[in-house]
Amino acid sequence: MQQLQQNGTIAAFSEALASGAPTPGGGGACALAGALGAALGSMVCALTSGKRRYADVEEDIQRIASRMEALRQRLLALIDADAEAFLPLSRAYGMPRGTQQERAARDTVMEAALVRAAQPPLDIMEVCAEAVALHAELGEKGSALAISDVGVGAALSRAALQGASLNVFTNTRLLRDRQRAAALDARAQALLGEALPEADRVVAAVMARLTAPREG
């Protein structure tokens, strides 16, 4: 949250994002999008909780609300984690490589920096995959008055997850340790395979409900 706290507003954060500064970047943007998606899930829970019509799912709604808030806070923290992880990589790119010894030193630093830079976006993917699953549950149990917000939340979570995967892959493709790269890629691909179809299903279900002909 330091990035947002230092800048003061999301508008200022977006201005920093639009600048030529090394951070924040795509990973931070994905984390923010994911946090907004989780926040919408929390809002749906707030609009559902305590309503007599949804009394039979109150316990589930409270559980979802608790998890959504935890995910939102985690994603806000990942804005900073992503920026902090990228800075060593940014510095590594600028290391001298005129001699064989310099190139070897640069390669060693780069390898460690690439692994570190790949972790926050992978974490973003993990968190957003859980958010997608919770949105799917809200689509079935949340207030019908807030169904569009379920769809938007799922769409934001999907975008954040898929966007973060690009930041994983841009780092792993440069790793010399191909076994480690393959392991990171496999986890990212698994998350994409699990969460993207689920998010698409949630958005499609919401769209169908909102565009269906009105009765009467």
Side-chain angles (χ1 to χ4, degrees):
M1 286 182 287
Q2 184 179 358
Q3 289 277 339
L4 290 178
Q5 288 171 349
Q6 287 179 345
N7 293 316
T9 66
I10 291 178
F13 177 82
S14 72
E15 290 173 9
L17 191 64
S19 75
T23 61
C30 288
L32 179 56
L36 294 174
L40 281 170
S42 294
M43 185 186 77
V44 174
C45 290
L47 293 171
T48 307
S49 182
K51 303 297 191 296
R52 282 186 295 178
R53 179 179 175 182
Y54 303 101
D56 57 336
V57 295
E58 177 68 22
E59 186 174 333
D60 290 334
I61 294 300
Q62 290 294 332
R63 169 180 51 79
I64 295 170
S66 177
R67 283 305 302 156
M68 282 293 196
E69 175 60 16
L71 298 182
R72 184 179 72 86
Q73 293 294 338
R74 175 65 176 142
L75 285 161
L76 289 175
L78 281 166
I79 295 174
D80 285 337
D82 183 76
E84 291 164 4
F86 179 76
L87 286 176
L89 181 59
S90 179
R91 288 193 289 266
Y93 278 118
M95 291 178 65
R97 47 182 172 174
T99 67
Q100 184 175 355
Q101 185 176 7
E102 287 175 341
R103 287 193 294 273
R106 181 180 183 273
D107 288 345
T108 298
V109 173
M110 279 284 292
E111 188 77 358
L114 286 165
V115 172
R116 181 179 177 185
Q119 191 57 55
L122 190 59
D123 291 342
I124 292 167
M125 294 183 70
E126 297 269 7
V127 176
C128 289
E130 183 178 352
V132 166
L134 293 174
H135 281 298
E137 194 172 355
L138 280 176
E140 299 173 355
K141 300 175 181 178
S143 171
L145 296 176
I147 191 62
S148 63
D149 298 299
V150 173
V152 175
L156 284 170
S157 298
R158 185 197 193 286
L161 186 147
Q162 188 167 34
S165 76
L166 303 179
N167 281 9
V168 174
F169 300 139
T170 196
N171 290 300
T172 58
R173 69 187 294 271
L174 298 176
L175 281 173
R176 293 174 177 269
D177 184 345
R178 299 315 299 164
Q179 185 173 358
R180 185 188 289 256
L184 292 168
D185 286 350
R187 182 54 187 154
Q189 292 287 8
L191 288 166
L192 290 172
E194 295 165 7
L196 295 191
E198 180 75 343
D200 289 342
R201 186 191 67 77
V202 174
V203 174
V206 171
M207 183 70 73
R209 286 175 63 175
L210 294 176
T211 59
R214 294 182 61 180
E215 296 181 2

Short mmCIF file of all heavy atoms in Angstrom, two decimals, residues 116-167:
data_model
loop_
_atom_site.label_atom_id
_atom_site.label_comp_id
_atom_site.label_asym_id
_atom_site.label_seq_id
_atom_site.Cartn_x
_atom_site.Cartn_y
_atom_site.Cartn_z
N ARG A 116 13.13 -13.59 -8.29
CA ARG A 116 12.43 -12.73 -7.33
C ARG A 116 11.31 -11.93 -8.00
O ARG A 116 10.22 -11.81 -7.46
CB ARG A 116 13.41 -11.76 -6.67
CG ARG A 116 12.77 -10.85 -5.64
CD ARG A 116 13.78 -9.93 -4.99
NE ARG A 116 13.12 -9.02 -4.08
CZ ARG A 116 13.74 -8.02 -3.43
NH1 ARG A 116 15.03 -7.84 -3.59
NH2 ARG A 116 13.06 -7.23 -2.63
N ALA A 117 11.57 -11.43 -9.20
CA ALA A 117 10.57 -10.62 -9.90
C ALA A 117 9.37 -11.43 -10.35
O ALA A 117 8.27 -10.90 -10.52
CB ALA A 117 11.22 -9.93 -11.10
N ALA A 118 9.55 -12.72 -10.55
CA ALA A 118 8.45 -13.57 -11.00
C ALA A 118 7.48 -13.92 -9.87
O ALA A 118 6.32 -14.27 -10.14
CB ALA A 118 8.99 -14.86 -11.62
N GLN A 119 7.92 -13.80 -8.62
CA GLN A 119 7.09 -14.28 -7.52
C GLN A 119 5.85 -13.43 -7.23
O GLN A 119 4.75 -13.97 -7.08
CB GLN A 119 7.92 -14.42 -6.25
CG GLN A 119 7.21 -15.18 -5.13
CD GLN A 119 6.77 -16.56 -5.55
OE1 GLN A 119 7.57 -17.37 -6.01
NE2 GLN A 119 5.47 -16.86 -5.40
N PRO A 120 5.97 -12.08 -7.13
CA PRO A 120 4.76 -11.30 -6.86
C PRO A 120 3.65 -11.49 -7.89
O PRO A 120 2.48 -11.68 -7.50
CB PRO A 120 5.27 -9.85 -6.80
CG PRO A 120 6.68 -9.98 -6.37
CD PRO A 120 7.18 -11.22 -7.06
N PRO A 121 3.94 -11.47 -9.21
CA PRO A 121 2.84 -11.71 -10.14
C PRO A 121 2.24 -13.11 -10.01
O PRO A 121 1.04 -13.29 -10.21
CB PRO A 121 3.47 -11.48 -11.52
CG PRO A 121 4.93 -11.50 -11.32
CD PRO A 121 5.17 -11.06 -9.92
N LEU A 122 3.05 -14.09 -9.64
CA LEU A 122 2.50 -15.42 -9.40
C LEU A 122 1.60 -15.40 -8.18
O LEU A 122 0.53 -16.04 -8.16
CB LEU A 122 3.63 -16.43 -9.22
CG LEU A 122 3.23 -17.91 -9.21
CD1 LEU A 122 2.53 -18.30 -10.51
CD2 LEU A 122 4.45 -18.79 -8.99
N ASP A 123 2.00 -14.65 -7.16
CA ASP A 123 1.15 -14.49 -5.98
C ASP A 123 -0.16 -13.79 -6.34
O ASP A 123 -1.23 -14.15 -5.82
CB ASP A 123 1.89 -13.68 -4.90
CG ASP A 123 3.05 -14.44 -4.29
OD1 ASP A 123 3.10 -15.67 -4.42
OD2 ASP A 123 3.92 -13.79 -3.68
N ILE A 124 -0.08 -12.78 -7.19
CA ILE A 124 -1.30 -12.09 -7.65
C ILE A 124 -2.23 -13.08 -8.32
O ILE A 124 -3.45 -13.07 -8.10
CB ILE A 124 -0.93 -10.93 -8.60
CG1 ILE A 124 -0.20 -9.82 -7.84
CG2 ILE A 124 -2.20 -10.35 -9.26
CD1 ILE A 124 0.47 -8.80 -8.75
N MET A 125 -1.67 -13.95 -9.15
CA MET A 125 -2.49 -14.96 -9.82
C MET A 125 -3.18 -15.88 -8.82
O MET A 125 -4.37 -16.19 -8.95
CB MET A 125 -1.61 -15.79 -10.76
CG MET A 125 -1.04 -15.02 -11.94
SD MET A 125 -0.09 -16.10 -13.05
CE MET A 125 -1.42 -17.09 -13.77
N GLU A 126 -2.44 -16.31 -7.82
CA GLU A 126 -3.00 -17.20 -6.79
C GLU A 126 -4.19 -16.53 -6.09
O GLU A 126 -5.26 -17.15 -5.92
CB GLU A 126 -1.94 -17.55 -5.75
CG GLU A 126 -0.75 -18.32 -6.27
CD GLU A 126 -0.94 -19.83 -6.19
OE1 GLU A 126 -2.05 -20.27 -5.84
OE2 GLU A 126 0.03 -20.55 -6.49
N VAL A 127 -4.00 -15.28 -5.69
CA VAL A 127 -5.04 -14.56 -4.97
C VAL A 127 -6.26 -14.34 -5.86
O VAL A 127 -7.41 -14.53 -5.43
CB VAL A 127 -4.50 -13.22 -4.44
CG1 VAL A 127 -5.61 -12.42 -3.76
CG2 VAL A 127 -3.36 -13.46 -3.45
N CYS A 128 -6.03 -13.94 -7.10
CA CYS A 128 -7.15 -13.66 -8.00
C CYS A 128 -7.90 -14.93 -8.39
O CYS A 128 -9.11 -14.88 -8.63
CB CYS A 128 -6.65 -12.94 -9.24
SG CYS A 128 -6.14 -11.24 -8.91
N ALA A 129 -7.20 -16.05 -8.45
CA ALA A 129 -7.89 -17.32 -8.72
C ALA A 129 -8.87 -17.64 -7.60
O ALA A 129 -10.00 -18.09 -7.86
CB ALA A 129 -6.87 -18.44 -8.88
N GLU A 130 -8.47 -17.38 -6.37
CA GLU A 130 -9.40 -17.60 -5.26
C GLU A 130 -10.56 -16.61 -5.34
O GLU A 130 -11.71 -16.97 -5.06
CB GLU A 130 -8.69 -17.46 -3.91
CG GLU A 130 -9.61 -17.75 -2.73
CD GLU A 130 -8.94 -17.66 -1.38
OE1 GLU A 130 -7.69 -17.53 -1.32
OE2 GLU A 130 -9.66 -17.73 -0.36
N ALA A 131 -10.27 -15.37 -5.71
CA ALA A 131 -11.33 -14.37 -5.83
C ALA A 131 -12.35 -14.79 -6.88
O ALA A 131 -13.56 -14.62 -6.69
CB ALA A 131 -10.74 -13.00 -6.18
N VAL A 132 -11.89 -15.35 -8.00
CA VAL A 132 -12.81 -15.82 -9.04
C VAL A 132 -13.74 -16.88 -8.48
O VAL A 132 -14.96 -16.85 -8.73
CB VAL A 132 -12.02 -16.36 -10.25
CG1 VAL A 132 -12.94 -17.16 -11.18
CG2 VAL A 132 -11.36 -15.23 -11.02
N ALA A 133 -13.19 -17.83 -7.73
CA ALA A 133 -14.01 -18.88 -7.14
C ALA A 133 -15.06 -18.31 -6.20
O ALA A 133 -16.21 -18.78 -6.16
CB ALA A 133 -13.13 -19.89 -6.42
N LEU A 134 -14.68 -17.29 -5.44
CA LEU A 134 -15.63 -16.67 -4.51
C LEU A 134 -16.71 -15.90 -5.27
O LEU A 134 -17.88 -15.89 -4.87
CB LEU A 134 -14.89 -15.75 -3.54
CG LEU A 134 -13.95 -16.45 -2.56
CD1 LEU A 134 -13.16 -15.43 -1.74
CD2 LEU A 134 -14.74 -17.37 -1.62
N HIS A 135 -16.33 -15.24 -6.35
CA HIS A 135 -17.33 -14.56 -7.18
C HIS A 135 -18.32 -15.56 -7.77
O HIS A 135 -19.52 -15.26 -7.88
CB HIS A 135 -16.65 -13.76 -8.30
CG HIS A 135 -16.08 -12.46 -7.85
ND1 HIS A 135 -16.84 -11.43 -7.32
CD2 HIS A 135 -14.79 -12.01 -7.85
CE1 HIS A 135 -16.06 -10.42 -7.02
NE2 HIS A 135 -14.81 -10.74 -7.33
N ALA A 136 -17.82 -16.73 -8.15
CA ALA A 136 -18.72 -17.76 -8.67
C ALA A 136 -19.75 -18.15 -7.62
O ALA A 136 -20.94 -18.33 -7.92
CB ALA A 136 -17.91 -18.98 -9.11
N GLU A 137 -19.31 -18.25 -6.38
CA GLU A 137 -20.23 -18.58 -5.29
C GLU A 137 -21.21 -17.45 -5.04
O GLU A 137 -22.40 -17.69 -4.80
CB GLU A 137 -19.43 -18.91 -4.03
CG GLU A 137 -20.24 -19.58 -2.94
CD GLU A 137 -19.40 -20.08 -1.78
OE1 GLU A 137 -18.14 -19.99 -1.85
OE2 GLU A 137 -19.99 -20.55 -0.79
N LEU A 138 -20.73 -16.22 -5.12
CA LEU A 138 -21.61 -15.07 -4.94
C LEU A 138 -22.66 -14.99 -6.05
O LEU A 138 -23.78 -14.52 -5.82
CB LEU A 138 -20.80 -13.77 -4.91
CG LEU A 138 -20.12 -13.42 -3.59
CD1 LEU A 138 -19.28 -12.16 -3.75
CD2 LEU A 138 -21.13 -13.26 -2.47
N GLY A 139 -22.29 -15.43 -7.24
CA GLY A 139 -23.26 -15.43 -8.33
C GLY A 139 -24.46 -16.30 -8.03
O GLY A 139 -25.56 -16.06 -8.54
N GLU A 140 -24.27 -17.30 -7.19
CA GLU A 140 -25.35 -18.20 -6.82
C GLU A 140 -26.05 -17.78 -5.52
O GLU A 140 -27.23 -18.06 -5.34
CB GLU A 140 -24.80 -19.61 -6.65
CG GLU A 140 -24.18 -20.18 -7.93
CD GLU A 140 -23.51 -21.52 -7.70
OE1 GLU A 140 -23.44 -21.96 -6.53
OE2 GLU A 140 -23.03 -22.12 -8.68
N LYS A 141 -25.32 -17.13 -4.63
CA LYS A 141 -25.84 -16.87 -3.29
C LYS A 141 -26.01 -15.39 -2.96
O LYS A 141 -26.69 -15.05 -1.99
CB LYS A 141 -24.92 -17.50 -2.24
CG LYS A 141 -24.78 -19.01 -2.38
CD LYS A 141 -23.76 -19.58 -1.41
CE LYS A 141 -23.62 -21.09 -1.58
NZ LYS A 141 -22.60 -21.65 -0.68
N GLY A 142 -25.39 -14.51 -3.73
CA GLY A 142 -25.44 -13.08 -3.40
C GLY A 142 -26.75 -12.44 -3.82
O GLY A 142 -27.57 -13.02 -4.54
N SER A 143 -26.93 -11.21 -3.37
CA SER A 143 -28.14 -10.46 -3.68
C SER A 143 -28.32 -10.29 -5.18
O SER A 143 -27.40 -9.90 -5.90
CB SER A 143 -28.08 -9.07 -3.02
OG SER A 143 -29.14 -8.26 -3.47
N ALA A 144 -29.53 -10.57 -5.64
CA ALA A 144 -29.84 -10.42 -7.06
C ALA A 144 -29.70 -8.96 -7.49
O ALA A 144 -29.42 -8.67 -8.66
CB ALA A 144 -31.25 -10.93 -7.35
N LEU A 145 -29.87 -8.03 -6.56
CA LEU A 145 -29.76 -6.62 -6.88
C LEU A 145 -28.32 -6.21 -7.20
O LEU A 145 -28.09 -5.16 -7.80
CB LEU A 145 -30.28 -5.77 -5.71
CG LEU A 145 -31.78 -5.93 -5.39
CD1 LEU A 145 -32.12 -5.12 -4.14
CD2 LEU A 145 -32.62 -5.48 -6.57
N ALA A 146 -27.37 -7.04 -6.79
CA ALA A 146 -25.95 -6.71 -7.01
C ALA A 146 -25.30 -7.68 -7.98
O ALA A 146 -24.07 -7.78 -8.01
CB ALA A 146 -25.21 -6.71 -5.67
N ILE A 147 -26.09 -8.37 -8.78
CA ILE A 147 -25.51 -9.39 -9.66
C ILE A 147 -24.56 -8.79 -10.68
O ILE A 147 -23.54 -9.42 -11.05
CB ILE A 147 -26.64 -10.19 -10.37
CG1 ILE A 147 -26.06 -11.42 -11.06
CG2 ILE A 147 -27.42 -9.31 -11.34
CD1 ILE A 147 -25.41 -12.42 -10.13
N SER A 148 -24.81 -7.58 -11.13
CA SER A 148 -23.87 -6.96 -12.09
C SER A 148 -22.50 -6.76 -11.45
O SER A 148 -21.47 -6.87 -12.12
CB SER A 148 -24.42 -5.63 -12.61
OG SER A 148 -24.55 -4.69 -11.55
N ASP A 149 -22.48 -6.46 -10.15
CA ASP A 149 -21.22 -6.25 -9.45
C ASP A 149 -20.44 -7.55 -9.31
O ASP A 149 -19.21 -7.54 -9.30
CB ASP A 149 -21.48 -5.63 -8.08
CG ASP A 149 -22.14 -4.26 -8.20
OD1 ASP A 149 -21.53 -3.37 -8.80
OD2 ASP A 149 -23.28 -4.11 -7.73
N VAL A 150 -21.16 -8.67 -9.21
CA VAL A 150 -20.49 -9.97 -9.22
C VAL A 150 -19.77 -10.15 -10.55
O VAL A 150 -18.60 -10.58 -10.61
CB VAL A 150 -21.50 -11.11 -8.99
CG1 VAL A 150 -20.82 -12.46 -9.17
CG2 VAL A 150 -22.12 -11.02 -7.60
N GLY A 151 -20.46 -9.82 -11.64
CA GLY A 151 -19.86 -9.96 -12.96
C GLY A 151 -18.65 -9.06 -13.14
O GLY A 151 -17.62 -9.49 -13.68
N VAL A 152 -18.76 -7.81 -12.70
CA VAL A 152 -17.63 -6.89 -12.83
C VAL A 152 -16.47 -7.36 -11.97
O VAL A 152 -15.30 -7.32 -12.40
CB VAL A 152 -18.04 -5.46 -12.44
CG1 VAL A 152 -16.83 -4.53 -12.47
CG2 VAL A 152 -19.12 -4.93 -13.38
N GLY A 153 -16.76 -7.81 -10.76
CA GLY A 153 -15.70 -8.31 -9.88
C GLY A 153 -14.97 -9.50 -10.49
O GLY A 153 -13.74 -9.59 -10.43
N ALA A 154 -15.73 -10.41 -11.08
CA ALA A 154 -15.12 -11.57 -11.73
C ALA A 154 -14.29 -11.15 -12.93
O ALA A 154 -13.19 -11.69 -13.17
CB ALA A 154 -16.20 -12.57 -12.14
N ALA A 155 -14.80 -10.18 -13.69
CA ALA A 155 -14.07 -9.71 -14.87
C ALA A 155 -12.75 -9.03 -14.48
O ALA A 155 -11.72 -9.23 -15.13
CB ALA A 155 -14.94 -8.75 -15.67
N LEU A 156 -12.79 -8.23 -13.41
CA LEU A 156 -11.57 -7.58 -12.94
C LEU A 156 -10.57 -8.61 -12.41
O LEU A 156 -9.36 -8.51 -12.67
CB LEU A 156 -11.90 -6.56 -11.85
CG LEU A 156 -12.52 -5.25 -12.32
CD1 LEU A 156 -13.01 -4.44 -11.12
CD2 LEU A 156 -11.51 -4.43 -13.12
N SER A 157 -11.06 -9.58 -11.68
CA SER A 157 -10.19 -10.64 -11.16
C SER A 157 -9.55 -11.41 -12.30
O SER A 157 -8.36 -11.76 -12.25
CB SER A 157 -10.98 -11.58 -10.25
OG SER A 157 -11.51 -10.90 -9.13
N ARG A 158 -10.34 -11.67 -13.33
CA ARG A 158 -9.83 -12.38 -14.51
C ARG A 158 -8.74 -11.58 -15.19
O ARG A 158 -7.68 -12.12 -15.55
CB ARG A 158 -10.97 -12.65 -15.50
CG ARG A 158 -10.57 -13.48 -16.70
CD ARG A 158 -11.59 -13.38 -17.82
NE ARG A 158 -11.39 -14.38 -18.84
CZ ARG A 158 -10.41 -14.38 -19.74
NH1 ARG A 158 -9.53 -13.38 -19.74
NH2 ARG A 158 -10.30 -15.36 -20.64
N ALA A 159 -8.99 -10.31 -15.41
CA ALA A 159 -8.01 -9.46 -16.08
C ALA A 159 -6.71 -9.38 -15.28
O ALA A 159 -5.61 -9.43 -15.84
CB ALA A 159 -8.59 -8.07 -16.30
N ALA A 160 -6.85 -9.25 -13.96
CA ALA A 160 -5.67 -9.16 -13.11
C ALA A 160 -4.86 -10.44 -13.17
O ALA A 160 -3.63 -10.43 -13.25
CB ALA A 160 -6.09 -8.86 -11.67
N LEU A 161 -5.55 -11.58 -13.14
CA LEU A 161 -4.88 -12.87 -13.18
C LEU A 161 -4.16 -13.08 -14.51
O LEU A 161 -2.99 -13.45 -14.54
CB LEU A 161 -5.90 -13.98 -12.93
CG LEU A 161 -5.37 -15.41 -12.78
CD1 LEU A 161 -6.23 -16.20 -11.81
CD2 LEU A 161 -5.31 -16.13 -14.12
N GLN A 162 -4.85 -12.82 -15.60
CA GLN A 162 -4.22 -13.03 -16.90
C GLN A 162 -3.09 -12.03 -17.13
O GLN A 162 -2.03 -12.39 -17.68
CB GLN A 162 -5.26 -12.91 -18.02
CG GLN A 162 -4.71 -13.31 -19.38
CD GLN A 162 -5.79 -13.50 -20.42
OE1 GLN A 162 -6.81 -12.80 -20.39
NE2 GLN A 162 -5.59 -14.42 -21.34
N GLY A 163 -3.29 -10.79 -16.73
CA GLY A 163 -2.23 -9.80 -16.87
C GLY A 163 -1.00 -10.17 -16.06
O GLY A 163 0.13 -10.04 -16.55
N ALA A 164 -1.21 -10.64 -14.83
CA ALA A 164 -0.08 -11.02 -13.99
C ALA A 164 0.69 -12.18 -14.60
O ALA A 164 1.92 -12.27 -14.44
CB ALA A 164 -0.57 -11.38 -12.59
N SER A 165 -0.01 -13.07 -15.31
CA SER A 165 0.68 -14.20 -15.93
C SER A 165 1.73 -13.71 -16.93
O SER A 165 2.79 -14.33 -17.08
CB SER A 165 -0.32 -15.14 -16.61
OG SER A 165 -0.79 -14.60 -17.84
N LEU A 166 1.45 -12.63 -17.62
CA LEU A 166 2.41 -12.08 -18.58
C LEU A 166 3.69 -11.65 -17.88
O LEU A 166 4.79 -11.79 -18.44
CB LEU A 166 1.79 -10.91 -19.34
CG LEU A 166 0.50 -11.19 -20.10
CD1 LEU A 166 0.00 -9.92 -20.79
CD2 LEU A 166 0.69 -12.30 -21.11
N ASN A 167 3.54 -11.13 -16.67
CA ASN A 167 4.72 -10.72 -15.92
C ASN A 167 5.50 -11.91 -15.39
O ASN A 167 6.71 -11.83 -15.19
CB ASN A 167 4.31 -9.81 -14.76
CG ASN A 167 4.05 -8.39 -15.23
OD1 ASN A 167 4.02 -8.12 -16.42
ND2 ASN A 167 3.86 -7.48 -14.29
#
